[in-house]
Amino acid sequence: MDDTPITGLEELETHLQLLVSEPDTPLNAKLFDEVELQLNDGNISPLIPRLLPTLTQILLAYPNDPSILTSLAIKLLRPVTFAQALTMASEEALIRALQSPAPSANLLAITVLQKAARSPSDTAILSVMKGLVEAFFRTWLSTPHVEVGETATQTLGDLLEVDCDNRSSASIDTKMRGMQLSSGMPPGQGLLWRRIFQDREVYESIFSLCSFQTLGTGHGHLDERQKSLAQGRLLRIIPRLAALDFHAITHTHFPDVDQRFGLQYGEQGLLYFAMVDMVSKQDDVLMHTTLVYMFIEFLEVMSITELTQPTVEYLAGLVRKVAAADEALYKSLGSIALNPETPPEFVDLYPVIPSREVYGFKMQVDPSVGLQPANSLDKLA
């Protein structure tokens, strides 16, 4: 423990008490910075009960930009567990922070939720807080702030990895592009997965926030720009979820929800929605490009993950379906498959991806039989 006195600490406590009684008081930014810069792993712990409850109280009523307050709060939260954080910030307070227009308040709430990824028991506690989970999903998909969206995407993936009770499709270590799934991690209880995929309101909110059917500026709707951001965030987390629990994202407990947002009879699940029906390929060129990129990353993840035969058959059908309807994606898959540096696991995984033996021939797609070499000497673009 570091016993070195912290310069300005008493003055900061006095300033915080003034903010409690008079929330409109201007923040003394210099005083906050002076104290925060002196904090370290050795002296934070005794300061948590002295400062954090008061900071939380101020944040609930502070009318201006709270970034200075939240910066100090986030640093103080570093050694705090999820259960301890809940004693200082109620579920209602965290929901209000997630709903705040200030990105710093959003990040403070997400910092607390990140702590639930430290253990399966903590994610189980979070799963019971339906209102908090709903608010987190809305912030994740609807925030216009890139840092908040990226932090929420990473947090959601971490939470679901710890909570996963069915790592059947992730029984080998997987690591790529910053994503790591460890086969040695003990299984979770799956309660957060069930909250997302077996709770109608939560499950439906993902479709609603990402579907162009709800494009607009009314309550619960997102405008065109924000809709694209929401779609991109969902696409970025799909590969990680697929490697954790492929069954969860390819099946549905609410077929009426799937069908209301565009899926046809026999089509179901979040994966199919995201990869096949969600993106308006002709009207949103940037999102179409993102879809192509994320679909390839999804296939790369699955190619180095142990798969059951039904999963392989599902993936083959999905690739066939997508390739038949998306020339740009089809050409990208073909180019990768023909690249001699592409790992053989990727090339050999699906019979519908053209093999290197057909190099020099353009491929044509017949949805009923997969990919066939055409009678053309045009090189695959």
Side-chain angles (χ1 to χ4, degrees), residues 185-371:
M185 181 181 295
Q189 301 178 47
L191 296 177
L192 187 58
W193 283 85
R194 289 193 278 279
R195 171 64 69 194
I196 296 169
F197 291 97
Q198 298 182 30
D199 184 301
R200 175 179 289 273
E201 286 77 20
V202 177
Y203 183 75
E204 185 174 5
S205 71
I206 302 173
F207 283 74
S208 179
L209 288 167
C210 293
S211 172
F212 267 104
Q213 292 186 20
T214 56
L215 185 66
T217 57
H219 178 70
H221 290 185
L222 302 178
D223 61 24
E224 189 170 353
R225 177 184 179 276
Q226 191 56 51
K227 188 70 69 172
S228 295
L229 289 175
Q231 292 177 348
R233 288 164 188 163
L234 179 60
L235 287 172
R236 279 193 290 276
I237 203 170
I238 285 291
R240 189 172 186 181
L241 301 190
L244 284 168
D245 193 336
F246 193 77
H247 183 273
I249 66 169
T250 55
H251 293 75
T252 184
H253 290 268
F254 310 105
D256 59 310
V257 172
D258 292 26
Q259 292 166 20
R260 187 160 68 252
F261 289 100
L263 275 65
Q264 304 300 311
Y265 180 78
E267 304 170 351
Q268 61 176 322
L270 193 62
L271 174 64
Y272 199 97
F273 167 73
M275 295 299 187
V276 179
D277 287 324
M278 180 178 71
V279 174
S280 178
K281 301 178 181 64
Q282 303 204 353
D283 297 333
D284 195 337
V285 176
L286 180 58
M287 271 311 305
H288 184 204
T289 302
T290 301
L291 173 64
V292 171
Y293 177 85
M294 294 312 303
F295 192 82
I296 291 171
E297 179 169 328
F298 160 70
L299 295 181
E300 289 175 346
V301 169
M302 301 312 294
S303 73
I304 57 173
T305 303
E306 290 183 358
L307 304 174
T308 64
Q309 187 58 35
T311 299
V312 172
E313 292 172 358
Y314 180 99
L315 290 169
L318 181 65
V319 173
R320 184 179 297 115
K321 173 78 173 182
V322 173
D326 191 332
E327 183 179 1
L329 177 57
Y330 169 69
K331 289 183 176 181
S332 295
L333 287 174
S335 296
I336 293 173
L338 297 174
N339 186 337
E341 296 183 1
T342 300
E345 294 85 359
F346 183 88
V347 179
D348 298 338
L349 182 56
Y350 311 110
V352 294
I353 294 180
S355 64
R356 295 189 178 110
E357 283 72 19
V358 300
Y359 184 80
F361 293 89
K362 188 173 182 179
M363 308 294 287
Q364 64 185 7
V365 178
D366 181 340
S368 65
V369 297
L371 306 183

Side-chain angles (χ1 to χ4, degrees), residues 153-175:
T153 300
Q154 182 64 42
T155 297
L156 179 58
D158 292 345
L159 288 167
L160 290 175
E161 181 174 346
V162 169
D163 184 59
C164 185
D165 63 349
N166 183 31
R167 292 194 180 91
S168 59
S169 61
S171 55
I172 59 173
D173 288 348
T174 303
K175 184 177 182 181

Side-chain angles (χ1 to χ4, degrees), residues 53-63 69 88-90 92-94 96-97:
T54 308
L55 280 170
T56 302
Q57 183 180 356
I58 295 168
L59 282 165
L60 291 175
Y62 192 68
L69 294 164
M88 292 175 271
S90 66
E92 179 184 358
L94 291 172
R96 289 174 61 181

Side-chain angles (χ1 to χ4, degrees), residues 6 30-40 43 72 75:
I6 298 177
K30 182 178 179 180
L31 181 58
F32 275 88
D33 288 342
E34 181 181 23
V35 172
E36 185 175 339
L37 286 171
Q38 297 174 74
L39 300 184
N40 55 57
N43 63 17
L72 178 58
K75 194 158 189 177

